[in-house]
């Protein structure tokens, strides 16, 4: 056996190997998060002051909302998830990151792809498919960058010494395989080639959206939470059996959900989707029980710290997943379709679940990776309360307003315009929530950027010191 | 740099999980949902039939709404006409009504080999005493079918000759047309004897 394989690495050494890739991934991610939230706020301005951006085609609702959603998912959630994943894999493998230069390059490719995609959407060059709006160049960049990071993650996974896998391994490894599969399939079938026509197109779109938002985000979000809950509380993860059951049922049944009840497609598709949605309650329940067993009574007083983020994120996971699944119950779907309800649930999944988990993870990882405390630790805690209250203020009105809108839409004596206008008062509240989330995201961005700048100044100082250092007397031999 | 020097802490604080089996209740819950889901699928899916869309749930239900052709179409049409024109007196079960109209089920007039006499009854009407299936009737039936188009009347006759246990041959619109022409526009109700005098 190679003697180096028995070497044990210290935590600081492992963390240091992740420093540059993680800074590249997280820095861009935080920037995109702020940009996405700002664009999302600009988009809903249509409902408050319709003529505000009337002369600015870039900020019309259709473009700004699509760009904002993509920024939250592809801009923030994905690179953040990948960065956290790399760190978790190298920590669990007890080994420094394999190929550390690859994810740095990949991070830049990724952010370039997001930039191109966002500009394309805002200038009207979107493909017009939900969650696949990015044009071909951007999609190829994202795909390549994901593969590069996945290769690094798998290589690091291969360096582990313990044969036994930790539950986070299953979730995160599945996520590594899941995204390339769905993203390439959906892109090749829809915006690239337009192969299927008619009824098949929306079916692929719904399949992709469900696999991306429900399955993929759950895989990464839960995988990350299952690492940090025991890590921060210092107790082992309880409920292994529930976790295994939840993982398998999620992977098995989760991907069948997604075809709405009102879809104009053969009846068996929504029917299968409904049955799968009923079964998808099981993984949500099982994973929620693991979180409950591991987080409750852990004795961690978080006060806005990473543990709070993870707990709030997992609470968001359970509630938003139950609401999501209820969209496929025929009885409720008839009322909830074509309202703000579905939008609210998607935003909850994106912001209240994924973003909370990854923000918490970033706040937990950054000081370790940089071997330095956060520059504004108080802002980090404030950002928890801003994000948490913002998410609730943002999504709850949309969900409640959606239900009311749906009931009015179903009422024969209420005209359509009146049913739609019901949502306005709810939108007013939800925009306040959006602004709070935006402030919270700014706190994250500030922490990461100031930290990066400190680090770069430190590097520069080291460089100057190395150049200007006087030669040691031993070297000066006369 | 490795951990031989004691100044650096090894990354041994990694989280662990104690192995345990999935509890029985959640597996039972999964099986229950699978069972109920299977029943729901059976009731609503149309079993992957690409032609079945909601709110219809099966190919059979769907085909019941389709326009039909051939013999089935004639029978369906005959049934519809029968129920709106004849069934009021003769009953939708073809058993007739006491004192009002004789039974058509098992009536020798209906299931006779030929349908010439039978066709004259709705075309001209019947008047006077007549024996139907062993019962004596004193009839006054108007020419209920005289106003029906040929194909509708043919469909009704086909229907009553082929329903409620009757098994006689079908009647075509052309046959009705010929019988109508042979009557030469006469619409005086026939008596039993007149009917018997006609060819079958």
């Amino acid at each position: 056996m190679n003697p180096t394989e028995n070497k044990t690495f210290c935590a600081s050494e492992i963390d240091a190997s992740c420093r540059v890739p993680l800074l590249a991934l997280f820095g861009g991610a935080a920037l995109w998060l702020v940009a996405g939230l700002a664009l999302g706020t600009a988009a809903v301005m249509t409902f408050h002051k319709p003529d505000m951006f009337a002369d600015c085609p870039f900020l019309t609702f259709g473009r700004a909302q699509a760009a904002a959603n993509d920024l939250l998912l592809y801009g923030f959630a994905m690179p953040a998830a990948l960065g956290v994943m790399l760190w978790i894999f190298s920590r669990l493998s007890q080994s420094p990151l394999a190929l550390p230069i690859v994810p740095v390059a990949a991070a830049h490719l990724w952010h370039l792809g997001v930039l191109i995609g966002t500009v394309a959407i805002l200038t009207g060059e979107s493909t017009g498919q939900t969650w696949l709006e990015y044009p071909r160049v951007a999609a190829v960049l994202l795909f390549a960058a994901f593969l590069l990071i996945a290769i690094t993650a798998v290589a690091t996974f291969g360096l582990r010494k313990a044969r036994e896998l930790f539950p986070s391994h299953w979730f995160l490894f599945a996520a590594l395989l899941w995204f390339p599969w769905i993203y390439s399939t959906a892109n090749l079938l829809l915006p690239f080639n337009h192969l299927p026509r008619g009824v098949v197109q929306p079916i692929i779109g719904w399949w992709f959206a469900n696999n991306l938002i429900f399955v993929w985000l759950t895989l990464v979000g839960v995988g990350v939470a299952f690492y940090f809950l025991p890590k921060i509380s210092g107790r082992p993860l309880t409920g292994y059996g529930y976790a295994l059951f939840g993982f398998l049922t999620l992977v098995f049944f989760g991907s069948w959900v997604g075809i709405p009840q009102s879809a104009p497609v053969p009846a068996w598709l929504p029917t299968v989707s409904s049955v799968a949605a009923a079964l998808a309650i099981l993984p949500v329940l099982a994973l929620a029980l693991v979180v409950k067993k591991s987080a409750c009574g852990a004795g961690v007083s978080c006060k806005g710290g990473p543990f709070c983020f993870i707990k709030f994120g997992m609470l968001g996971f359970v509630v938003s997943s139950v609401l999501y699944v209820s969209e496929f119950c025929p009885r409720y779907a008839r009322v909830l379709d074509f309202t703000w309800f579905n939008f609210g649930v998607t935003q909850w999944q994106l912001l209240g679940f994924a973003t909370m988990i990854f923000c918490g993870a970033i706040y937990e990882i950054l000081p370790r990776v940089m071997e330095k405390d956060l520059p504004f630790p108080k802002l980090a805690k404030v950002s928890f309360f801003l994000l948490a209250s913002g998410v609730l203020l943002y999504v709850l009105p949309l969900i409640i307003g959606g239900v009311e809108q749906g009931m009015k839409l179903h009422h024969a004596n209420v005209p359509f315009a009146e049913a739609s206008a019901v949502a306005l008062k709810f939108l007013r509240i939800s925009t306040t929530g959006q602004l709070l989330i935006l402030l919270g995201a700014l706190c994250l961005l500030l922490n990461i950027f100031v930290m990066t700048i400190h680090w770069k100044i430190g590097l520069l100082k080291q460089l100057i010191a190395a150049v200007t250092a006087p030669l040691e007397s031993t070297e000066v031999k006369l | 740099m490795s951990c031989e020097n004691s100044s650096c802490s090894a990354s041994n604080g990694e989280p662990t999980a104690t192995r345990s089996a999935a509890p029985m209740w959640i597996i039972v819950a999964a099986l229950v949902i699978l069972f109920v889901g299977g029943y729901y699928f059976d009731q609503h899916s149309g079993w992957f039939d690409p032609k079945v869309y909601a709110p219809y749930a099966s190919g059979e239900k769907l085909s019941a709404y389709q326009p039909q052709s051939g013999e089935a179409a004639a029978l369906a049409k005959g049934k519809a006409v029968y129920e709106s024109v004849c069934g009021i007196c003769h009953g939708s079960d073809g058993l007739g009504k006491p004192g009002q109209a004789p039974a058509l089920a098992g009536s020798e007039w209906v299931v006779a080999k030929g349908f010439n006499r039978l066709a004259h009854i709705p075309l001209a009407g019947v008047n006077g005493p007549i024996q139907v299936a062993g019962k004596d009737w004193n009839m006054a039936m108007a020419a209920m079918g005289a106003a029906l188009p040929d194909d509708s009347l043919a469909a009704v006759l086909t229907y009553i000759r082929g329903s409620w246990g009757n098994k006689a041959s079908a009647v075509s619109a052309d046959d009705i047309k010929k019988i109508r022409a042979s009557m030469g526009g006469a619409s005086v109700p026939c008596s039993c004897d007149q009917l018997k005098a006609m060819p079958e």
Side-chain angles (χ1 to χ4, degrees):
Chain A
M1 193 189 260
N2 191 335
T4 56
E5 284 183 23
N6 285 326
K7 202 166 89 171
T8 44
F9 295 93
C10 39
S12 60
E13 201 179 350
I14 296 172
D15 291 341
S17 73
C18 296
R19 184 178 299 159
V20 188
L22 260 55
L23 269 189
L25 284 164
F26 293 163
L31 190 64
W32 293 133
L33 178 64
V34 170
L37 290 165
L39 264 177
T41 316
V44 295
M45 280 303 156
T46 311
F47 300 104
H48 306 307
K49 204 168 177 307
D51 55 350
M52 196 165 180
F53 300 117
D55 301 323
C56 179
F58 308 115
L59 291 177
T60 45
F61 183 78
R63 292 188 193 176
Q65 188 61 61
N69 279 343
D70 281 2
L71 278 177
L72 293 183
L73 182 71
Y74 296 114
F76 174 72
M78 287 219 171
L82 289 171
V84 175
M85 201 187 291
L86 286 178
W87 185 78
I88 291 179
F89 270 22
S90 65
R91 269 305 188 96
L92 284 176
S93 296
Q94 310 239 326
S95 149
L97 204 59
L99 321 163
I101 193 71
V102 175
V104 180
H108 288 95
L109 282 183
W110 184 280
H111 293 314
L112 180 67
V114 173
L115 179 68
I116 295 175
T118 306
V119 170
I121 295 176
L122 292 179
T123 52
E125 296 298 314
S126 131
T127 64
Q129 309 280 353
T130 313
W131 296 118
L132 294 166
E133 288 96 345
Y134 288 172
R136 189 175 301 200
V137 189
V140 168
L141 279 175
L142 292 194
F143 186 71
F146 192 100
L147 279 191
L148 287 176
I149 293 176
I151 288 168
T152 318
V154 172
T156 312
F157 177 80
L159 291 175
R160 77 195 189 284
K161 282 152 197 111
R163 235 184 102 74
E164 200 174 350
L165 297 183
F166 183 68
S168 289
H169 271 132
W170 321 327
F171 286 89
L172 297 178
F173 206 94
L176 283 181
L177 300 173
W178 209 270
F179 181 73
W181 166 48
I182 59 169
Y183 198 60
S184 58
T185 307
N187 260 306
L188 287 174
L189 286 175
L190 289 176
F192 280 27
N193 300 323
H194 296 290
L195 276 180
R197 290 274 167 202
V199 160
V200 184
Q201 280 188 330
I203 294 173
I204 298 169
W206 285 314
W207 168 81
F208 176 68
N210 168 69
N211 274 276
L212 190 66
I213 304 293
F214 181 56
V215 181
W216 198 85
L217 279 188
T218 302
L219 286 175
V220 285
V222 171
V224 169
F226 278 7
Y227 179 85
F228 281 106
L229 285 175
K231 174 97 184 163
I232 299 175
S233 67
R235 304 188 312 174
L237 189 75
T238 31
Y240 183 94
Y242 282 112
L244 182 61
F245 179 86
F247 171 71
L248 292 177
T249 45
L250 172 74
V251 167
F252 203 79
F253 300 122
S255 61
W256 292 74
V257 191
I259 315 288
Q261 286 299 304
S262 56
V265 296
W268 67 268
L269 282 155
T271 308
V272 168
S273 205
S274 293
V275 175
L279 285 159
I281 286 278
L282 292 166
V284 175
L285 188 64
L287 299 176
L289 284 170
V290 179
V291 174
K292 185 178 168 285
K293 285 167 183 244
S294 302
C296 293
V300 180
S301 72
C302 52
K303 294 194 185 102
F307 203 64
C308 279
F309 276 94
I310 307 277
K311 273 208 291 194
F312 186 87
M314 286 314 288
L315 184 71
F317 161 71
V318 175
V319 182
S320 67
S321 299
V322 169
L323 289 175
Y324 177 75
V325 164
S326 74
E327 285 171 25
F328 299 96
C329 173
R331 186 176 299 172
Y332 305 131
R334 266 179 292 155
V335 178
L336 300 176
D337 274 345
F338 309 113
T339 67
W340 282 96
F341 184 89
N342 297 9
F343 180 82
V345 172
T346 308
Q347 296 296 315
W348 203 341
Q349 290 170 309
L350 272 174
L351 291 167
F353 165 43
T355 303
M356 290 304 279
I357 298 259
F358 299 140
C359 277
I362 289 175
Y363 280 139
E364 176 70 25
I365 295 173
L366 263 190
R368 294 169 184 262
V369 172
M370 305 301 291
E371 291 183 278
K372 205 174 177 187
D373 281 338
L374 289 172
F376 310 109
K378 277 197 179 143
L379 268 189
K381 296 196 167 174
V382 169
S383 77
F384 168 74
F385 295 105
L386 284 172
L387 284 172
S389 56
V391 163
L392 293 178
L393 263 182
Y394 179 31
V395 297
L396 288 179
L398 289 177
I399 286 166
I400 298 166
V403 174
E404 191 178 340
Q405 190 190 359
M407 307 237 246
K408 293 238 153 131
L409 278 174
H410 258 250
H411 200 291
N413 292 335
V414 180
F416 179 76
E418 194 184 310
S420 303
V422 164
L424 271 184
K425 64 171 183 275
F426 293 102
L427 278 170
R428 305 257 192 271
I429 310 172
S430 84
T431 307
T432 325
Q434 267 179 302
L435 291 172
L436 288 181
I437 303 174
L438 181 59
L439 278 181
L442 277 171
C443 296
L444 175 75
L445 181 69
L446 201 64
N447 262 317
I448 296 182
F449 264 47
V450 171
M451 209 165 207
T452 315
I453 290 167
H454 279 174
W455 174 65
K456 285 195 172 156
I457 292 174
L459 282 185
L460 199 66
K461 276 187 184 156
Q462 275 181 14
L463 188 71
I464 294 169
V467 172
T468 58
L471 292 175
E472 284 186 33
S473 58
T474 49
E475 291 178 32
V476 190
K477 280 184 182 166
L478 294 170
Chain B
M1 182 173 69
S2 66
C3 274
E4 278 121 29
N5 54 347
S6 55
S7 64
C8 104
S9 68
S11 63
N12 52 8
E14 292 312 309
T16 51
T18 34
R19 270 177 181 270
S20 62
M24 210 52 215
W25 72 265
I26 205 164
I27 293 170
V28 172
L31 293 176
V32 169
I33 298 183
L34 261 178
F35 179 80
V36 177
Y39 179 76
Y40 177 81
F41 178 84
D42 180 59
Q43 294 294 305
H44 293 86
S45 69
W47 283 97
F48 306 109
D49 189 333
K51 287 184 193 138
V52 175
Y53 280 59
Y56 304 104
S58 70
E60 294 87 63
K61 278 189 190 170
L62 199 61
S63 59
Y65 290 97
Q66 298 298 316
Q68 287 162 329
S69 61
E71 203 172 315
L75 272 180
K77 185 176 179 184
K79 184 169 195 260
V81 177
Y82 176 83
E83 275 166 9
S84 66
V85 179
C86 329
I88 301 156
C89 298
H90 289 287
S92 58
D93 48 5
L95 293 176
K97 286 183 183 160
Q100 194 175 358
L104 299 179
S107 155
E108 67 271 29
W109 295 96
V110 174
V111 296
K113 228 176 212 165
F115 43 77
N116 187 34
R117 290 176 186 168
L118 173 66
H120 274 80
I121 298 175
L123 280 172
V126 191
N127 202 8
I130 188 168
Q131 204 180 38
V132 180
K135 279 188 188 164
D136 288 319
W137 290 82
N138 197 1
M139 289 297 301
M141 173 179 158
M144 298 295 291
L148 288 173
D150 293 342
D151 57 338
S152 295
L153 187 56
V156 170
L157 296 184
T158 305
Y159 175 69
I160 63 173
R161 280 164 68 84
S163 304
W164 319 304
N166 294 352
K167 287 192 180 82
S169 59
V171 183
S172 76
D174 285 342
D175 298 327
I176 298 295
K177 201 176 177 183
K178 274 178 210 155
I179 295 169
R180 233 195 258 267
S182 73
M183 287 167 67
S187 60
V188 185
C190 310
S191 66
C192 180
D193 295 336
Q194 279 173 307
L195 282 175
K196 281 194 170 154
M198 293 172 190
E200 268 207 349

